């Protein structure tokens, strides 16, 4: 039912400098696949095959990754390595890719508004590729699409985090509607532990209704002078219902070195098992 998924990928990735000086953070590989590809596969598993990517300067590698590489294909065609390109070929066959550039990094809310031209007037998914999610059963975005089918409103994915880490996240307050689904009454961006209403933190998965674009347009810059999606969702929650969904599965914060290494270890074990079976 939801066809489009937006990937805001214009950030500087300063926590990974110097690796991200001339390479997008989203192209950093976890074992043998770049972060963005895990995200695109999750979107496809949720039925969202129209992929929109908000890029910035120095991010051309993203568009090149989701394109045919004739020389490479020619070089390895007919060899034992051909299988390595199979999953990317499937993505290219089944998805469309559109790009737009965020010229100034004015925050995640602004990046999403920049993507309006790719989305238009329909509900859409949002994936922040540096949050790498492994769903239990369905992928996380597919789990959220099921909730959307029932309630037809914006939804943010949340997870419980330790109280001393709430300052890194947007945090929600709300009442539980059904198991793991909350109606949001309040949201705070990066609160101090004393100011945090709960330890339910927003992670990088959203389903948004298209009225969010008008709301972002009227959202003033918030923390760090950036236009925060949390602030826009707070306004939307006051006007309509916005839900938070405690997803089933695991998330790796690959925007930090610690989370990146954890994800690498996790996927290396899977990779090793596959190798042993071959
Ligand atoms: P982050 O807060 O992780 O920022 O952005 P960052 O620049 O990517 O990384 P650090 O903190 O400097 O290491 C969260 C997501 O929002 C996107 C980023 O690309 C990332 O996917 N984003 C953020 C934009 O696309 N534009 C912005 O102006 C800000």
């Amino acid at each position: 039912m939801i066809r489009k998924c937006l990937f805001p990928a214009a950030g500087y990735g300063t926590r990974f400098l110097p690796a991200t000086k001339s390479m997008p953070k989203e192209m950093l590989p976890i074992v043998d696949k770049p972060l963005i590809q895990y995200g695109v596969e999750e979107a496809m598993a949720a039925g969202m095959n129209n992929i929109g990517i908000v890029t910035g300067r120095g991010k051309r590698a993203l568009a090149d990754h989701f394109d045919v590489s004739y020389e490479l294909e020619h070089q390895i065609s007919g060899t034992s390595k051909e299988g390595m390109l199979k999953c990317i070929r499937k993505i290219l066959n089944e998805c469309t890719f559109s790009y737009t550039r965020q010229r100034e990094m004015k925050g995640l809310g602004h990046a999403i508004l920049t993507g309006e031209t790719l989305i238009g007037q329909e509900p859409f998914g949002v994936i922040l590729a540096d949050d790498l999610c492994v769903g239990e059963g369905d992928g996380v975005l597919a789990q959220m699409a099921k909730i959307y089918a029932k309630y037809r409103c914006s939804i943010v994915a949340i997870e419980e985090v330790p109280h001393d880490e709430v300052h890194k996240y947007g945090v929600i307050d709300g009442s539980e509607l059904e198991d793991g689904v909350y109606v949001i009454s309040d949201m705070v961006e990066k609160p101090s532990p004393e100011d945090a209403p709960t330890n339910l933190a927003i992670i990088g998965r959203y389903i948004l209704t298209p009225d969010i674009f008008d709301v972002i347009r009227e959202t003033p810059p918030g923390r760090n002078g950036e236009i925060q999606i949390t602030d826009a969702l707070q306004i939307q929650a006051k006007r309509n219902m916005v839900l938070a969904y405690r997803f089933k599965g695991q998330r790796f914060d690959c925007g930090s070195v610690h989370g990146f290494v954890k994800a690498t270890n996790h996927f290396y074990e899977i990779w090793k098992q596959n190798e042993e079976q071959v």
Side-chain angles (χ1 to χ4, degrees):
M1 186 178 27
I2 302 180
R3 302 180 305 139
K4 295 186 179 177
C5 188
L6 191 67
F7 287 74
Y12 292 120
T14 52
R15 282 169 291 170
F16 269 95
L17 283 170
T20 46
K21 184 164 174 275
S22 63
M23 179 176 84
K25 171 169 78 172
E26 296 75 14
M27 284 303 293
L28 291 173
I30 298 292
V31 185
D32 54 0
K33 257 194 278 186
L35 279 169
I36 188 113
Q37 190 175 328
Y38 288 93
V40 168
E41 287 170 2
E42 185 183 328
M44 285 172 78
M48 301 178 201
N49 287 21
N50 295 0
I51 307 296
I53 304 185
V54 180
T55 66
R57 276 180 292 281
K59 301 266 185 173
R60 272 195 211 136
L62 289 169
D64 286 342
H65 185 69
F66 295 111
D67 198 355
V68 177
S69 169
Y70 286 108
E71 284 156 22
L72 181 66
E73 300 247 342
H74 176 72
Q75 197 70 34
I76 69 171
S77 120
T79 74
S80 59
K81 293 198 177 116
E82 203 172 353
M84 287 176 166
L85 287 178
K86 229 163 81 189
C87 61
I88 189 85
R89 274 194 199 141
K90 179 173 155 58
I91 294 175
L92 297 187
N93 286 338
E94 293 180 12
C95 291
T96 62
F97 289 86
S98 326
Y99 301 87
T100 190
R101 272 199 188 204
Q102 187 188 17
R103 286 194 299 274
E104 285 174 284
M105 303 316 141
K106 292 196 206 160
L108 178 57
H110 181 261
I112 291 174
L113 182 58
T114 306
E116 182 181 20
T117 180
L118 306 178
I119 299 295
Q121 282 303 306
E122 53 185 291
F124 60 103
V126 175
I127 289 186
L128 305 186
D130 51 356
D131 264 346
L132 177 46
C133 291
V134 183
E136 231 174 77
D138 286 339
V140 173
L141 205 57
Q143 294 173 28
M144 294 171 75
K146 281 188 184 153
I147 308 284
Y148 178 82
K150 201 162 159 190
Y151 296 103
R152 309 275 173 144
C153 65
S154 291
I155 307 167
V156 301
I158 50 167
E159 101 179 330
E160 280 187 50
V161 297
H163 275 283
D164 59 353
E165 287 185 19
V166 286
H167 65 280
K168 297 183 193 162
Y169 299 91
V171 170
I172 69 121
D173 197 4
S175 50
E176 204 162 5
L177 185 63
E178 60 173 273
D179 185 31
V181 180
Y182 299 78
V183 179
I184 293 178
S185 57
D186 199 11
M187 299 169 100
V188 200
E189 182 61 27
K190 300 194 170 67
S192 58
E194 313 82 74
D195 296 335
T198 64
N199 65 336
L200 297 173
I202 302 170
I203 62 121
R205 298 291 180 278
Y206 306 79
I207 286 181
L208 301 174
T209 51
D211 54 308
I212 195 71
F213 295 124
D214 281 338
V215 179
I216 298 173
R217 259 187 281 278
E218 63 184 74
T219 303
R223 228 185 150 86
N224 301 332
E226 294 185 340
I227 298 173
Q228 303 285 353
I229 189 63
T230 313
D231 294 341
L233 282 164
Q234 164 92 310
I235 298 172
Q236 206 185 30
K238 294 241 144 66
R239 291 181 189 164
N240 307 304
M241 184 167 73
V242 174
L243 297 177
Y245 169 62
R246 208 175 56 229
F247 68 94
K248 296 187 177 65
Q250 205 179 350
R251 175 192 68 108
F252 299 98
D253 172 15
C254 294
S256 75
V257 172
H258 186 66
F260 186 88
V261 172
K262 265 173 126 171
T264 301
N265 290 334
H266 175 89
F267 282 95
Y268 174 62
E269 287 306 318
I270 297 170
W271 181 88
K272 214 163 60 173
Q273 280 164 21
N274 289 342
E275 279 290 290
E276 280 162 10
Q277 278 164 18
V278 174

